[in-house]
mmCIF file of all heavy atoms in Angstrom:
data_model
loop_
_atom_site.group_PDB
_atom_site.id
_atom_site.type_symbol
_atom_site.label_atom_id
_atom_site.label_comp_id
_atom_site.label_asym_id
_atom_site.label_seq_id
_atom_site.Cartn_x
_atom_site.Cartn_y
_atom_site.Cartn_z
ATOM 1 N N LEU A 231 92.002 -79.376 -16.148
ATOM 2 C CA LEU A 231 91.304 -79.001 -14.909
ATOM 3 C C LEU A 231 91.050 -80.222 -14.043
ATOM 4 O O LEU A 231 91.149 -80.180 -12.800
ATOM 5 C CB LEU A 231 90.000 -78.300 -15.211
ATOM 6 C CG LEU A 231 89.205 -77.719 -14.097
ATOM 7 C CD1 LEU A 231 90.044 -76.684 -13.299
ATOM 8 C CD2 LEU A 231 87.918 -77.068 -14.588
ATOM 9 N N LYS A 232 90.654 -81.305 -14.638
ATOM 10 C CA LYS A 232 90.358 -82.522 -13.914
ATOM 11 C C LYS A 232 91.524 -82.940 -13.027
ATOM 12 O O LYS A 232 91.339 -83.431 -11.926
ATOM 13 C CB LYS A 232 89.996 -83.673 -14.870
ATOM 14 C CG LYS A 232 89.533 -84.915 -14.241
ATOM 15 C CD LYS A 232 89.083 -85.927 -15.260
ATOM 16 C CE LYS A 232 88.592 -87.174 -14.579
ATOM 17 N NZ LYS A 232 88.119 -88.195 -15.548
ATOM 18 N N GLY A 233 92.749 -82.755 -13.574
ATOM 19 C CA GLY A 233 93.938 -83.175 -12.779
ATOM 20 C C GLY A 233 94.263 -82.291 -11.605
ATOM 21 O O GLY A 233 95.011 -82.676 -10.733
ATOM 22 N N VAL A 234 93.740 -81.068 -11.600
ATOM 23 C CA VAL A 234 94.126 -80.135 -10.563
ATOM 24 C C VAL A 234 92.960 -79.559 -9.744
ATOM 25 O O VAL A 234 93.179 -78.778 -8.826
ATOM 26 C CB VAL A 234 95.005 -79.022 -11.169
ATOM 27 C CG1 VAL A 234 94.181 -78.075 -12.008
ATOM 28 C CG2 VAL A 234 95.831 -78.281 -10.166
ATOM 29 N N LEU A 235 91.769 -79.948 -10.101
ATOM 30 C CA LEU A 235 90.540 -79.379 -9.433
ATOM 31 C C LEU A 235 90.567 -79.537 -7.938
ATOM 32 O O LEU A 235 90.169 -78.620 -7.208
ATOM 33 C CB LEU A 235 89.258 -79.923 -10.097
ATOM 34 C CG LEU A 235 87.995 -79.263 -9.619
ATOM 35 C CD1 LEU A 235 88.010 -77.788 -9.853
ATOM 36 C CD2 LEU A 235 86.768 -79.911 -10.354
ATOM 37 N N ASP A 236 90.978 -80.719 -7.431
ATOM 38 C CA ASP A 236 91.009 -80.902 -5.984
ATOM 39 C C ASP A 236 91.822 -79.799 -5.305
ATOM 40 O O ASP A 236 91.436 -79.231 -4.327
ATOM 41 C CB ASP A 236 91.567 -82.287 -5.627
ATOM 42 C CG ASP A 236 90.687 -83.429 -5.989
ATOM 43 O OD1 ASP A 236 89.815 -83.291 -6.914
ATOM 44 O OD2 ASP A 236 90.834 -84.493 -5.369
ATOM 45 N N LEU A 237 93.020 -79.548 -5.886
ATOM 46 C CA LEU A 237 93.874 -78.519 -5.311
ATOM 47 C C LEU A 237 93.271 -77.123 -5.406
ATOM 48 O O LEU A 237 93.373 -76.332 -4.507
ATOM 49 C CB LEU A 237 95.245 -78.512 -6.001
ATOM 50 C CG LEU A 237 96.192 -79.645 -5.678
ATOM 51 C CD1 LEU A 237 97.440 -79.525 -6.480
ATOM 52 C CD2 LEU A 237 96.486 -79.652 -4.197
ATOM 53 N N LEU A 238 92.618 -76.833 -6.515
ATOM 54 C CA LEU A 238 91.976 -75.579 -6.690
ATOM 55 C C LEU A 238 90.868 -75.337 -5.693
ATOM 56 O O LEU A 238 90.690 -74.223 -5.158
ATOM 57 C CB LEU A 238 91.489 -75.395 -8.168
ATOM 58 C CG LEU A 238 92.518 -75.420 -9.220
ATOM 59 C CD1 LEU A 238 91.874 -75.476 -10.609
ATOM 60 C CD2 LEU A 238 93.482 -74.303 -9.065
ATOM 61 N N VAL A 239 90.112 -76.405 -5.458
ATOM 62 C CA VAL A 239 89.020 -76.282 -4.462
ATOM 63 C C VAL A 239 89.621 -76.045 -3.065
ATOM 64 O O VAL A 239 89.153 -75.137 -2.341
ATOM 65 C CB VAL A 239 88.136 -77.520 -4.479
ATOM 66 C CG1 VAL A 239 87.181 -77.547 -3.303
ATOM 67 C CG2 VAL A 239 87.351 -77.559 -5.786
ATOM 68 N N LEU A 240 90.646 -76.821 -2.685
ATOM 69 C CA LEU A 240 91.309 -76.580 -1.406
ATOM 70 C C LEU A 240 91.809 -75.141 -1.308
ATOM 71 O O LEU A 240 91.612 -74.470 -0.292
ATOM 72 C CB LEU A 240 92.395 -77.569 -1.199
ATOM 73 C CG LEU A 240 92.074 -79.035 -0.996
ATOM 74 C CD1 LEU A 240 93.316 -79.907 -0.965
ATOM 75 C CD2 LEU A 240 91.219 -79.199 0.259
ATOM 76 N N ALA A 241 92.462 -74.661 -2.409
ATOM 77 C CA ALA A 241 93.027 -73.322 -2.393
ATOM 78 C C ALA A 241 91.945 -72.261 -2.252
ATOM 79 O O ALA A 241 92.141 -71.258 -1.605
ATOM 80 C CB ALA A 241 93.871 -73.116 -3.638
ATOM 81 N N SER A 242 90.757 -72.511 -2.889
ATOM 82 C CA SER A 242 89.678 -71.580 -2.796
ATOM 83 C C SER A 242 89.127 -71.463 -1.379
ATOM 84 O O SER A 242 88.478 -70.444 -1.046
ATOM 85 C CB SER A 242 88.567 -71.923 -3.766
ATOM 86 O OG SER A 242 87.830 -73.000 -3.275
#
Side-chain angles (χ1 to χ4, degrees):
L231 185 60
K232 186 176 182 178
V234 73
L235 187 56
D236 290 25
L237 286 178
L238 297 173
V239 170
L240 291 175
S242 75

